[in-house]
Amino acid sequence: MKRITISVPDEVAAKAQHAVDAGDAPNVSAYFSHLSLREPDWATARAVAADLAAAIGGVSEDDLAWAEDTLGLRVPA
């Protein structure tokens, strides 16, 4: 276990405290720990995607557009 200090906006701190007060988390640290464990490891995912792209010789703009559409990431113009 490692102790760290973070700064968050007041509304985020209030949300965490509300979860504790409601019994959804034993304490604020546990609340944030649970959230971080649920979040995918995006840094590793990007590294794996880059390795795959390099292995096949790159990714085209059409490939990226397809992925964005499929994942619902494309912002409408």
Side-chain angles (χ1 to χ4, degrees):
M1 183 73 68
K2 181 172 181 151
R3 182 181 180 98
I4 63 170
T5 301
I6 63 170
S7 297
V8 297
D10 290 343
E11 59 271 12
V12 173
K15 185 175 181 178
Q17 188 60 54
H18 181 74
V20 172
D21 295 344
D24 295 332
N27 54 55
V28 171
S29 291
Y31 174 82
F32 283 108
S33 291
H34 178 73
L35 287 179
S36 69
L37 290 172
R38 288 183 25 205
E39 182 68 18
D41 182 349
W42 292 112
T44 298
R46 283 190 298 273
V48 168
D51 288 346
L52 289 171
I56 63 167
V59 177
S60 71
E61 289 299 317
D62 287 340
D63 295 332
L64 292 173
W66 174 87
E68 289 175 351
D69 288 342
T70 301
L71 296 172
L73 300 175
R74 185 181 294 257
V75 177

Coordinates of all heavy atoms in Angstrom, one line a residue:
M1 N 0.9 -1.2 0.0 CA 0.0 0.0 0.0 C 0.9 1.2 0.0 O 1.9 1.3 0.7 CB -0.9 0.0 1.2 CG -1.9 1.1 1.3 SD -3.3 1.0 0.2 CE -4.2 -0.4 0.8
K2 N 0.6 2.2 -0.8 CA 1.3 3.4 -0.9 C 0.4 4.6 -0.7 O -0.7 4.7 -1.2 CB 2.0 3.6 -2.3 CG 2.8 4.8 -2.4 CD 3.6 4.8 -3.7 CE 4.4 6.1 -3.7 NZ 5.6 6.0 -4.5
R3 N 0.8 5.5 0.1 CA 0.1 6.7 0.4 C 0.5 7.8 -0.6 O 1.6 8.1 -0.8 CB 0.3 7.2 1.8 CG -0.5 8.4 2.2 CD -0.1 8.8 3.7 NE -0.9 9.9 4.0 CZ -2.0 9.9 4.7 NH1 -2.4 8.7 5.2 NH2 -2.6 11.0 5.0
I4 N -0.5 8.5 -1.2 CA -0.3 9.6 -2.1 C -1.3 10.7 -1.7 O -2.3 10.5 -1.1 CB -0.5 9.2 -3.6 CG1 -1.9 8.8 -3.9 CG2 0.5 8.1 -4.0 CD1 -2.2 8.6 -5.4
T5 N -1.0 11.9 -2.2 CA -1.9 13.0 -2.0 C -2.3 13.5 -3.3 O -1.4 13.7 -4.2 CB -1.1 14.1 -1.2 OG1 -0.7 13.6 0.1 CG2 -2.0 15.3 -0.9
I6 N -3.6 13.8 -3.5 CA -4.1 14.3 -4.7 C -5.0 15.5 -4.5 O -5.5 15.7 -3.4 CB -4.9 13.3 -5.6 CG1 -6.1 12.8 -4.8 CG2 -4.0 12.1 -5.9 CD1 -7.1 12.0 -5.6
S7 N -5.1 16.3 -5.5 CA -6.0 17.5 -5.4 C -7.1 17.2 -6.4 O -6.9 16.8 -7.5 CB -5.3 18.8 -5.7 OG -4.3 19.0 -4.8
V8 N -8.4 17.4 -6.0 CA -9.5 17.3 -6.8 C -10.5 18.5 -6.7 O -10.4 19.1 -5.6 CB -10.3 15.9 -6.5 CG1 -9.4 14.7 -6.8 CG2 -10.8 15.9 -5.1
P9 N -11.3 18.7 -7.7 CA -12.3 19.8 -7.5 C -13.2 19.5 -6.3 O -13.4 18.4 -6.0 CB -13.0 19.8 -8.8 CG -12.1 19.1 -9.8 CD -11.3 18.1 -9.0
D10 N -13.7 20.6 -5.8 CA -14.6 20.4 -4.6 C -15.8 19.5 -4.9 O -16.2 18.7 -4.0 CB -15.2 21.8 -4.2 CG -14.1 22.7 -3.6 OD1 -13.0 22.2 -3.1 OD2 -14.3 23.9 -3.5
E11 N -16.4 19.6 -6.1 CA -17.5 18.7 -6.4 C -17.1 17.3 -6.4 O -17.9 16.4 -6.1 CB -18.2 19.2 -7.7 CG -17.4 19.2 -8.9 CD -16.6 20.5 -9.2 OE1 -16.6 21.3 -8.3 OE2 -16.1 20.6 -10.3
V12 N -15.9 17.0 -6.8 CA -15.4 15.6 -6.9 C -15.2 15.1 -5.4 O -15.6 13.9 -5.1 CB -14.1 15.4 -7.7 CG1 -13.6 14.0 -7.6 CG2 -14.4 15.8 -9.1
A13 N -14.6 15.9 -4.6 CA -14.5 15.5 -3.2 C -15.8 15.3 -2.5 O -16.0 14.4 -1.7 CB -13.7 16.6 -2.5
A14 N -16.8 16.2 -2.8 CA -18.1 16.0 -2.2 C -18.8 14.7 -2.7 O -19.4 14.1 -1.9 CB -19.0 17.2 -2.6
K15 N -18.6 14.4 -3.9 CA -19.2 13.2 -4.5 C -18.6 12.0 -3.7 O -19.3 11.0 -3.4 CB -18.9 13.1 -6.0 CG -19.6 11.9 -6.6 CD -19.4 11.9 -8.1 CE -20.0 10.8 -8.8 NZ -19.9 10.8 -10.3
A16 N -17.3 12.0 -3.5 CA -16.6 10.9 -2.8 C -17.1 10.8 -1.4 O -17.4 9.7 -0.9 CB -15.1 11.1 -2.9
Q17 N -17.2 11.9 -0.7 CA -17.7 11.9 0.7 C -19.1 11.5 0.7 O -19.5 10.8 1.7 CB -17.5 13.3 1.3 CG -17.8 13.3 2.8 CD -16.9 12.4 3.5 OE1 -15.7 12.5 3.5 NE2 -17.5 11.5 4.3
H18 N -19.9 11.9 -0.2 CA -21.3 11.4 -0.3 C -21.4 9.9 -0.4 O -22.2 9.3 0.3 CB -22.1 12.1 -1.5 CG -23.5 11.7 -1.6 ND1 -24.5 12.2 -0.7 CD2 -24.2 10.9 -2.4 CE1 -25.6 11.7 -1.0 NE2 -25.5 10.9 -2.0
A19 N -20.5 9.3 -1.2 CA -20.5 7.8 -1.3 C -20.1 7.2 0.0 O -20.7 6.2 0.4 CB -19.5 7.4 -2.4
V20 N -19.2 7.8 0.7 CA -18.8 7.3 2.1 C -20.0 7.4 3.0 O -20.4 6.5 3.7 CB -17.6 8.0 2.6 CG1 -17.3 7.6 4.1 CG2 -16.4 7.7 1.7
D21 N -20.6 8.6 3.0 CA -21.7 8.8 3.9 C -22.9 7.9 3.7 O -23.6 7.5 4.6 CB -22.2 10.3 3.8 CG -21.2 11.3 4.3 OD1 -20.2 10.9 5.0 OD2 -21.3 12.5 4.0
A22 N -23.1 7.5 2.4 CA -24.2 6.6 2.0 C -23.8 5.2 2.3 O -24.7 4.3 2.1 CB -24.5 6.8 0.6
G23 N -22.6 4.9 2.7 CA -22.2 3.5 2.9 C -21.7 2.8 1.7 O -21.6 1.6 1.7
D24 N -21.5 3.5 0.6 CA -21.1 2.9 -0.6 C -19.6 2.6 -0.7 O -19.1 1.9 -1.6 CB -21.5 3.7 -1.9 CG -23.0 3.7 -2.0 OD1 -23.7 2.8 -1.6 OD2 -23.5 4.7 -2.5
A25 N -18.9 3.3 0.2 CA -17.4 3.1 0.3 C -17.0 3.3 1.8 O -17.7 4.1 2.5 CB -16.7 4.1 -0.6
P26 N -16.1 2.5 2.3 CA -15.7 2.7 3.7 C -15.0 4.0 4.0 O -15.1 4.5 5.1 CB -14.8 1.5 3.9 CG -14.3 1.0 2.6 CD -15.3 1.4 1.6
N27 N -14.3 4.6 3.0 CA -13.6 5.8 3.2 C -13.3 6.4 1.8 O -13.5 5.8 0.8 CB -12.3 5.7 4.0 CG -11.4 4.6 3.5 OD1 -11.0 4.7 2.3 ND2 -11.1 3.7 4.3
V28 N -12.9 7.7 1.8 CA -12.6 8.4 0.5 C -11.5 7.7 -0.3 O -11.6 7.5 -1.5 CB -12.3 9.8 0.8 CG1 -11.8 10.5 -0.5 CG2 -13.5 10.6 1.3
S29 N -10.5 7.2 0.4 CA -9.4 6.5 -0.3 C -9.9 5.2 -1.0 O -9.5 5.0 -2.2 CB -8.3 6.1 0.7 OG -7.6 7.2 1.2
A30 N -10.7 4.5 -0.3 CA -11.3 3.3 -0.9 C -12.2 3.6 -2.1 O -12.2 2.9 -3.1 CB -12.1 2.5 0.1
Y31 N -12.9 4.7 -2.0 CA -13.7 5.2 -3.2 C -12.9 5.4 -4.4 O -13.2 4.9 -5.5 CB -14.5 6.5 -2.8 CG -15.3 7.1 -3.9 CD1 -16.5 6.7 -4.2 CD2 -14.7 8.2 -4.6 CE1 -17.3 7.2 -5.2 CE2 -15.5 8.8 -5.6 CZ -16.7 8.3 -5.9 OH -17.4 8.9 -6.9
F32 N -11.8 6.2 -4.3 CA -10.9 6.5 -5.4 C -10.2 5.2 -5.9 O -10.0 5.0 -7.1 CB -10.0 7.6 -5.1 CG -10.7 8.9 -5.2 CD1 -10.9 9.7 -4.0 CD2 -11.1 9.5 -6.4 CE1 -11.6 10.9 -4.1 CE2 -11.8 10.7 -6.5 CZ -12.0 11.4 -5.3
S33 N -9.8 4.4 -5.0 CA -9.1 3.1 -5.3 C -10.0 2.3 -6.2 O -9.6 1.7 -7.2 CB -8.7 2.3 -4.1 OG -7.6 3.0 -3.4
H34 N -11.3 2.1 -5.8 CA -12.2 1.3 -6.5 C -12.4 1.9 -7.9 O -12.4 1.2 -8.9 CB -13.6 1.3 -5.8 CG -14.6 0.5 -6.5 ND1 -14.6 -0.9 -6.6 CD2 -15.7 0.9 -7.2 CE1 -15.6 -1.2 -7.3 NE2 -16.3 -0.2 -7.7
L35 N -12.6 3.2 -8.0 CA -12.7 3.8 -9.3 C -11.5 3.6 -10.3 O -11.7 3.3 -11.4 CB -12.9 5.4 -9.2 CG -14.2 5.8 -8.7 CD1 -14.2 7.4 -8.6 CD2 -15.4 5.4 -9.5
S36 N -10.3 3.7 -9.7 CA -9.1 3.5 -10.5 C -9.0 2.1 -11.0 O -8.5 1.8 -12.1 CB -7.9 4.0 -9.8 OG -7.6 3.2 -8.7
L37 N -9.4 1.1 -10.2 CA -9.3 -0.3 -10.6 C -10.3 -0.6 -11.6 O -10.0 -1.5 -12.5 CB -9.5 -1.2 -9.3 CG -8.4 -1.2 -8.3 CD1 -8.7 -2.0 -7.1 CD2 -7.1 -1.7 -8.9
R38 N -11.4 0.1 -11.7 CA -12.4 -0.2 -12.7 C -12.0 0.4 -14.1 O -12.4 0.0 -15.1 CB -13.8 0.4 -12.3 CG -14.4 -0.4 -11.2 CD -15.8 0.1 -10.8 NE -16.5 0.8 -11.8 CZ -17.4 1.7 -11.6 NH1 -17.7 2.0 -10.4 NH2 -18.0 2.3 -12.6
E39 N -11.2 1.5 -14.0 CA -10.8 2.2 -15.3 C -9.8 1.4 -16.0 O -8.8 0.9 -15.4 CB -10.2 3.6 -14.9 CG -9.8 4.4 -16.0 CD -11.0 4.9 -16.9 OE1 -12.1 4.9 -16.5 OE2 -10.7 5.3 -18.0
P40 N -10.0 1.2 -17.3 CA -9.0 0.5 -18.1 C -7.6 1.2 -18.0 O -7.5 2.4 -17.8 CB -9.5 0.6 -19.5 CG -11.0 0.8 -19.4 CD -11.1 1.7 -18.1
D41 N -6.6 0.4 -18.3 CA -5.2 1.0 -18.3 C -4.9 1.5 -19.7 O -4.4 0.8 -20.6 CB -4.2 -0.2 -17.9 CG -2.8 0.3 -17.9 OD1 -2.5 1.4 -18.3 OD2 -1.9 -0.4 -17.4
W42 N -5.3 2.7 -19.9 CA -5.2 3.3 -21.3 C -3.8 3.4 -21.8 O -3.6 3.3 -23.0 CB -6.0 4.7 -21.3 CG -7.4 4.5 -21.1 CD1 -8.2 4.9 -20.1 CD2 -8.3 3.8 -22.0 NE1 -9.5 4.6 -20.2 CE2 -9.6 3.9 -21.4 CE3 -8.2 3.2 -23.2 CZ2 -10.8 3.3 -22.0 CZ3 -9.3 2.6 -23.8 CH2 -10.6 2.7 -23.2
A43 N -2.9 3.7 -20.9 CA -1.5 3.8 -21.4 C -1.0 2.5 -22.0 O -0.4 2.4 -23.0 CB -0.6 4.2 -20.2
T44 N -1.3 1.4 -21.3 CA -0.9 0.0 -21.8 C -1.7 -0.3 -23.1 O -1.1 -0.8 -24.1 CB -1.2 -1.0 -20.8 OG1 -0.4 -0.8 -19.6 CG2 -0.9 -2.4 -21.3
A45 N -3.0 0.1 -23.1 CA -3.8 -0.1 -24.4 C -3.2 0.6 -25.6 O -3.1 0.0 -26.7 CB -5.2 0.3 -24.1
R46 N -2.8 1.9 -25.3 CA -2.2 2.6 -26.5 C -0.9 2.0 -26.9 O -0.6 1.9 -28.1 CB -2.0 4.1 -26.0 CG -3.3 4.9 -26.0 CD -3.0 6.4 -25.9 NE -2.4 6.7 -24.6 CZ -3.0 6.9 -23.4 NH1 -4.3 6.9 -23.4 NH2 -2.4 7.2 -22.3
A47 N -0.1 1.5 -26.0 CA 1.2 0.9 -26.3 C 1.0 -0.4 -27.1 O 1.7 -0.6 -28.1 CB 2.0 0.6 -25.1
V48 N 0.0 -1.2 -26.7 CA -0.3 -2.4 -27.4 C -0.8 -2.1 -28.8 O -0.4 -2.7 -29.8 CB -1.3 -3.3 -26.7 CG1 -1.9 -4.4 -27.5 CG2 -0.7 -3.8 -25.4
A49 N -1.7 -1.1 -28.9 CA -2.2 -0.7 -30.2 C -1.1 -0.2 -31.2 O -1.1 -0.5 -32.4 CB -3.3 0.4 -30.1
A50 N -0.2 0.6 -30.6 CA 1.0 1.1 -31.4 C 1.8 -0.1 -31.9 O 2.3 -0.1 -33.0 CB 1.8 2.1 -30.6
D51 N 2.1 -1.1 -31.0 CA 2.8 -2.3 -31.4 C 2.1 -3.0 -32.5 O 2.8 -3.5 -33.5 CB 3.1 -3.2 -30.2 CG 4.1 -2.6 -29.2 OD1 4.8 -1.7 -29.5 OD2 4.1 -3.2 -28.1
L52 N 0.8 -3.2 -32.4 CA 0.1 -3.9 -33.5 C 0.1 -3.1 -34.8 O 0.3 -3.7 -35.8 CB -1.4 -4.1 -33.0 CG -1.6 -5.1 -31.9 CD1 -3.1 -5.0 -31.4 CD2 -1.3 -6.5 -32.4
A53 N 0.0 -1.8 -34.7 CA 0.0 -1.0 -35.9 C 1.4 -1.1 -36.6 O 1.5 -1.2 -37.8 CB -0.3 0.5 -35.6
A54 N 2.5 -1.1 -35.8 CA 3.8 -1.2 -36.3 C 4.0 -2.5 -37.0 O 4.7 -2.7 -38.0 CB 4.8 -0.9 -35.2
A55 N 3.4 -3.6 -36.3 CA 3.6 -4.9 -36.9 C 2.9 -5.1 -38.2 O 3.4 -5.9 -39.0 CB 3.0 -5.9 -35.9
I56 N 1.8 -4.4 -38.5 CA 1.1 -4.5 -39.7 C 1.5 -3.4 -40.7 O 1.0 -3.3 -41.8 CB -0.4 -4.6 -39.6 CG1 -0.9 -3.2 -39.0 CG2 -0.8 -5.7 -38.7 CD1 -2.4 -3.1 -39.1
G57 N 2.4 -2.5 -40.3 CA 2.9 -1.5 -41.3 C 2.1 -0.2 -41.2 O 2.2 0.6 -42.1
G58 N 1.4 0.0 -40.1 CA 0.8 1.3 -39.9 C -0.7 1.2 -39.9 O -1.3 0.2 -40.2
V59 N -1.4 2.3 -39.6 CA -2.8 2.4 -39.6 C -3.2 3.6 -40.5 O -2.7 4.7 -40.3 CB -3.3 2.6 -38.1 CG1 -4.8 2.8 -38.1 CG2 -2.9 1.5 -37.2
S60 N -4.2 3.3 -41.3 CA -4.6 4.4 -42.3 C -5.7 5.2 -41.6 O -6.3 4.9 -40.6 CB -5.2 3.7 -43.5 OG -6.5 3.1 -43.2
E61 N -5.9 6.4 -42.2 CA -7.0 7.3 -41.8 C -8.4 6.6 -41.8 O -9.2 6.8 -40.9 CB -7.0 8.6 -42.6 CG -5.9 9.5 -42.4 CD -5.8 10.0 -40.9 OE1 -6.8 10.3 -40.3 OE2 -4.7 10.0 -40.4
D62 N -8.6 5.7 -42.8 CA -9.8 4.9 -42.9 C -9.9 4.0 -41.7 O -11.0 3.8 -41.2 CB -9.9 4.1 -44.2 CG -10.2 5.0 -45.4 OD1 -10.7 6.2 -45.2 OD2 -9.9 4.6 -46.5
D63 N -8.8 3.3 -41.3 CA -8.8 2.5 -40.2 C -9.2 3.2 -38.9 O -10.0 2.8 -38.1 CB -7.4 1.8 -39.9 CG -7.0 0.9 -41.0 OD1 -7.9 0.3 -41.7 OD2 -5.8 0.8 -41.2
L64 N -8.6 4.4 -38.7 CA -8.9 5.2 -37.6 C -10.4 5.7 -37.5 O -11.0 5.6 -36.5 CB -8.0 6.4 -37.5 CG -6.5 6.1 -37.2 CD1 -5.7 7.4 -37.4 CD2 -6.3 5.5 -35.8
A65 N -10.9 6.1 -38.7 CA -12.3 6.5 -38.8 C -13.2 5.3 -38.5 O -14.2 5.5 -37.7 CB -12.6 7.0 -40.2
W66 N -12.9 4.1 -39.0 CA -13.7 3.0 -38.7 C -13.7 2.7 -37.1 O -14.8 2.5 -36.5 CB -13.2 1.7 -39.4 CG -13.9 0.5 -39.0 CD1 -15.1 0.0 -39.5 CD2 -13.5 -0.4 -37.9 NE1 -15.4 -1.2 -38.8 CE2 -14.5 -1.4 -37.9 CE3 -12.4 -0.5 -37.0 CZ2 -14.4 -2.5 -36.9 CZ3 -12.4 -1.5 -36.1 CH2 -13.3 -2.5 -36.1
A67 N -12.5 2.7 -36.5 CA -12.4 2.5 -35.1 C -13.2 3.5 -34.3 O -13.9 3.2 -33.4 CB -11.0 2.5 -34.7
E68 N -13.1 4.8 -34.7 CA -13.8 5.8 -34.0 C -15.3 5.7 -34.1 O -16.1 5.8 -33.1 CB -13.4 7.2 -34.5 CG -12.0 7.6 -34.1 CD -11.6 8.9 -34.7 OE1 -12.3 9.5 -35.6 OE2 -10.5 9.4 -34.3
D69 N -15.8 5.3 -35.3 CA -17.2 5.1 -35.5 C -17.7 3.9 -34.7 O -18.7 3.9 -34.0 CB -17.5 4.9 -37.0 CG -17.4 6.1 -37.8 OD1 -17.5 7.2 -37.2 OD2 -17.3 6.0 -39.0
T70 N -16.9 2.8 -34.7 CA -17.3 1.6 -34.1 C -17.3 1.8 -32.5 O -18.2 1.2 -31.9 CB -16.3 0.4 -34.4 OG1 -16.3 0.3 -35.8 CG2 -16.7 -0.9 -33.7
L71 N -16.4 2.5 -32.0 CA -16.3 2.7 -30.6 C -17.2 3.9 -30.1 O -17.2 4.2 -28.9 CB -14.9 2.9 -30.1 CG -14.0 1.7 -30.4 CD1 -12.5 2.1 -30.1 CD2 -14.4 0.5 -29.5
G72 N -17.8 4.6 -31.1 CA -18.6 5.8 -30.7 C -17.8 7.0 -30.3 O -18.3 7.8 -29.4
L73 N -16.6 7.1 -30.8 CA -15.7 8.2 -30.4 C -15.7 9.3 -31.3 O -15.1 10.4 -31.0 CB -14.3 7.6 -30.2 CG -14.1 6.5 -29.2 CD1 -12.7 6.0 -29.3 CD2 -14.5 6.9 -27.8
R74 N -16.3 9.2 -32.5 CA -16.2 10.3 -33.5 C -17.1 11.4 -33.1 O -18.3 11.2 -32.8 CB -16.6 9.8 -34.9 CG -16.4 10.8 -35.9 CD -16.8 10.3 -37.3 NE -15.9 9.3 -37.7 CZ -14.9 9.5 -38.6 NH1 -14.7 10.6 -39.2 NH2 -14.1 8.5 -39.0
V75 N -16.6 12.6 -33.1 CA -17.4 13.8 -32.8 C -18.0 14.3 -34.1 O -17.3 14.5 -35.0 CB -16.5 14.9 -32.1 CG1 -17.3 16.1 -31.9 CG2 -15.9 14.4 -30.9
P76 N -19.3 14.4 -34.1 CA -20.0 14.9 -35.3 C -19.5 16.3 -35.7 O -19.3 17.1 -34.8 CB -21.5 14.9 -35.0 CG -21.6 14.1 -33.8 CD -20.3 14.1 -33.1
A77 N -19.4 16.5 -37.0 CA -18.9 17.8 -37.5 C -20.0 18.9 -37.4 O -21.1 18.6 -37.3 CB -18.4 17.7 -38.9

